Amino acid sequence: MPEPKVLQGRRVVSVPVALDTAVWPANSIVLRVAPDEALVVGDGDPVVDDPHALIEDDASLAAITLPLAEAGDLLATLCDWEWPIAGEFLSQGLVAGVPVRVWTRSDRVLLIVPSSYLHEVEERLG
Amino acid sequence: MLRLPCPQCGERGVVEFRYGEIPTIPEDLTDPAARDLDRAFMRTNTEGMVTERWFHEAGCRRWMTVLRDTRTDQVLEVVSRSSARQSDRSA
Amino acid sequence: MNEFVERRVKLRFAEPRRAYDVVIVGGGGHGLATAYYLATRHGLTNVAVLERGYIGAGNSGRNTTVIRANYGVPATVRFYQHSLELYQRLETETDRSIMHKEKGLLWLAHTEMGLRAERARARINTACGSETVFVEPEEIMRICPQLDLAGAGRYPILGASYHPHGATARHDRVVWAYAEGAMDRGVDVVQRIAVNGIRTSGDWVVGVDTDQGPIDAPVVLSAVGGHVTSLCSTAGVRLPIRTHPLQAFVTNHYQGTFEAIVASTELLFYASQTARGEMLIGAEIDRQPSYSYRSSFDFLASCSGRALALLPFMANLRILRQWTGVCDMSPDYTPVMGKTGVDGLLVTTGWGTWGFKAIPAGGEAMAELIATGATPDLIAPFSIDRFARDRTLADRGSSGTH
């Protein structure tokens, strides 16, 4: 199991339309966890067209990064929803009984959990 | 979840432990009645490093002394038995 | 934040000036309500509210929004009943919608001991002017048909106290209503300013130190959540407060209607439905003091288990969000309000798990204390010297839950 990493980022809470049109820093990972909320991992500040947007430093999430092939095998037996699903997407549900956000790209998968749950996921994934 | 390194049982979740505070009374408080009042009700409530006792209730049922950062819940040190006794006395 | 746009909240934040008549540290419900009542009831507007993050970012935004007055000792019942009545009038008074909704609150008993406690609660509430009645299981089912009276075979529901005026309100809107009302009348509300210490001269307060330089004020009110002990220690004031984490979570949308607020002291859990239809569930504090704001999976698992014993329909719901606040707990589960022994330094703290419901009455009383210099009768029992006078207010009606 690769070393999990705490995701140092910014939590952005704003109106959905401002998040739809926001300019995110280059090379950042943007997790749109709700219509009015996004988590941006990476350096630099997002530009959001909303004077009331809240942009706060956030280190509450941690991620385990897996190559896509490896993740598919693992998640096929541990996910409570059907796996694999093709494409780039963010899904969330129970993995081994623990709530996990699964961020999927063509080459890799990030299992994103609140950092305070990390040991639960690690123990259950073995 | 806060995890505590038990010297006997290894790292375990906080739900297995009972918390034990080591009260601290300011040294410049000399009046015995004021010290009693402070001991009974007042709290230092430190934001930062605290020395505290934990009882492994659902495990080996032994007390240990722990150095924890209350801002991050990181446990930095489990104080050894002899120095733990000393810190009990000084408290 | 959508609501900002929907209702066009006009929050105009200020830059800090060098001196004020009153500085309030902490832009949560209590600090902003105090500023609002200083301006509206007493005409004092040379006032600053200094907030480290954004207004309502602390416990005002992390609580479970329950408004009730069914406490266990006369002083607290009267205080919270007054607050409950102020909440009932708050939309009219501020001309702002706070989504206040009376739901009725059931406090369940699962044992003979619990029955006695709930009967006692109903009587002491009635005697002190708050409406609470004891109800039998048939009535409980009428009020909340989703309950499993058998309690999954482990926690049978034998009776309950029913508090018909128990209510909820939208926490952000309460904060914004007070903030807007105070700003409109000339109060400076400053965000993103950290107060690092209280400046004193002899036994007098002269101002505060911030990360943007010193600010002079002859009166400083600490309306801080979580960091109140550290702040007051800079003025040499010791407080009877220990800061604990408190966790809560919401599920996804429940299709049915869940009218009441349901609580159980023995199961250390309470539930209500939010305006969005989510089920909002809270519990007791974590036992160790901490400022870490860390949630735990273990809490989710154990609290869900207890909730399902009483409300089995929730087995089909998913948990959406979980969060943690920090609660300033006093030894007798009752707030600490008023003078501190340092002239001009006032404190409103010990809001532990009952701070949201106290915002109007707490703000009104602190404003009166600041404006007149005299402690209002309503909060006199909550003064910090009650511990030295052997007049603690151990309140089973607080019991470390909401």
Side-chain angles (χ1 to χ4, degrees), chain C residues 220-385:
Chain C
V220 173
L221 166 66
S222 163
V224 173
H227 311 278
V228 61
T229 312
S230 305
L231 182 67
C232 287
S233 72
T234 64
V237 173
R238 293 270 287 172
L239 292 176
I241 296 295
R242 216 163 72 171
T243 302
H244 294 258
L246 180 84
Q247 306 191 40
F249 63 90
V250 290
T251 68
N252 58 355
H253 181 82
Y254 167 51
Q255 304 281 340
T257 305
F258 191 88
E259 292 277 1
I261 305 161
V262 171
S264 162
T265 310
E266 285 152 295
L267 263 73
L268 297 166
F269 127 89
Y270 52 94
S272 65
Q273 190 176 29
T274 70
R276 292 198 192 105
E278 303 158 335
M279 294 300 296
L280 170 57
I281 293 145
E284 57 165 348
I285 54 167
D286 292 1
R287 288 297 142 191
Q288 76 285 357
S290 174
Y291 297 90
S292 73
Y293 291 92
R294 281 172 79 85
S295 306
S296 73
F297 182 67
D298 183 79
F299 159 77
L300 272 191
S302 73
C303 192
S304 309
R306 280 176 278 145
L308 290 184
L310 296 182
L311 297 165
F313 78 90
M314 288 203 290
N316 296 324
L317 301 178
R318 287 296 180 82
I319 293 164
L320 269 193
R321 293 191 303 283
Q322 174 185 15
W323 66 93
T324 302
V326 294
C327 290
D328 299 317
M329 309 296 292
S330 64
D332 56 359
Y333 298 110
T334 298
V336 175
M337 299 175 80
K339 300 175 179 175
T340 57
V342 174
D343 269 334
L345 177 61
L346 306 170
V347 70
T348 177
T349 185
W351 290 116
T353 60
W354 38 87
F356 179 75
K357 56 185 74 63
I359 285 171
E364 187 190 55
M366 292 314 293
E368 185 180 336
L369 171 54
I370 290 168
T372 66
T375 305
D377 289 344
L378 197 63
I379 63 162
F382 306 145
S383 71
I384 193 169
D385 67 357

Side-chain angles (χ1 to χ4, degrees), chain A residues 25 47 55 70 73 97:
Chain A
V47 182
I55 302 177
E70 202 179 305
D73 290 346

Side-chain angles (χ1 to χ4, degrees), chain A residues 13-16 36 52-56 80 93-94 97-99 101 115-117 120 124, chain C residues 1-2 4-5 9-11 13 53-54 192 276 294-298 300 318 320-322:
Chain A
V13 180
S14 177
V15 288
D36 58 357
H52 290 302
L54 299 178
I55 302 177
E56 295 279 301
D80 73 342
L94 293 180
V98 183
R101 291 181 176 129
S115 47
S116 51
Y117 298 4
E120 293 275 353
R124 294 177 190 206
Chain C
M1 296 306 288
N2 302 352
F4 264 136
V5 177
V9 174
K10 293 281 188 294
L11 295 177
F13 294 101
Y54 55 91
R192 310 279 173 195
R276 292 198 192 105
R294 281 172 79 85
S295 306
S296 73
F297 182 67
D298 183 79
L300 272 191
R318 287 296 180 82
L320 269 193
R321 293 191 303 283
Q322 174 185 15

Side-chain angles (χ1 to χ4, degrees), chain A:
Chain A
M1 183 67 49
E3 267 300 294
K5 222 174 78 182
V6 171
L7 300 177
Q8 294 286 348
R10 303 276 167 85
R11 187 173 294 272
V12 185
V13 180
S14 177
V15 288
V17 62
L19 288 181
D20 291 343
T21 57
V23 181
W24 307 108
N27 300 321
S28 59
I29 296 176
V30 181
L31 304 168
R32 186 72 177 270
V33 293
D36 58 357
E37 185 173 347
L39 188 79
V40 197
V41 182
D43 297 328
D45 282 315
V47 182
V48 185
D49 181 22
D50 172 9
H52 290 302
L54 299 178
I55 302 177
E56 295 279 301
D57 287 341
D58 190 297
S60 63
L61 297 180
I64 301 170
T65 308
L66 297 168
L68 185 63
E70 202 179 305
D73 290 346
L74 194 68
L75 295 174
T77 52
L78 294 176
C79 262
D80 73 342
W81 70 94
E82 198 183 344
W83 190 270
I85 306 165
E88 303 198 339
F89 57 93
L90 174 68
S91 57
Q92 35 196 354
L94 293 180
V95 174
V98 183
V100 172
R101 291 181 176 129
V102 185
W103 186 81
T104 304
R105 285 298 174 268
S106 56
D107 56 336
R108 64 195 159 130
V109 171
L110 262 60
L111 303 182
I112 298 165
V113 292
S115 47
S116 51
Y117 298 4
L118 191 57
H119 65 276
E120 293 275 353
V121 182
E122 285 185 287
E123 278 172 14
R124 294 177 190 206
L125 296 190

Side-chain angles (χ1 to χ4, degrees), chain C residues 24-48:
Chain C
I24 297 170
V25 187
H30 281 273
L32 293 164
T34 304
Y36 173 85
Y37 290 118
L38 277 174
T40 55
R41 306 263 162 105
H42 306 283
L44 293 176
T45 55
N46 189 17
V47 175

Side-chain angles (χ1 to χ4, degrees), chain C residues 12-68:
Chain C
R12 287 178 304 275
F13 294 101
E15 292 299 315
R17 286 184 276 128
R18 283 295 315 278
Y20 292 93
D21 292 340
V22 180
V23 161
I24 297 170
V25 187
H30 281 273
L32 293 164
T34 304
Y36 173 85
Y37 290 118
L38 277 174
T40 55
R41 306 263 162 105
H42 306 283
L44 293 176
T45 55
N46 189 17
V47 175
V49 179
L50 308 180
E51 165 57 41
R52 188 175 62 157
Y54 55 91
I55 58 167
N59 293 329
S60 293
R62 295 166 188 269
N63 62 81
T64 50
T65 73
V66 173
I67 299 162
R68 62 181 178 91

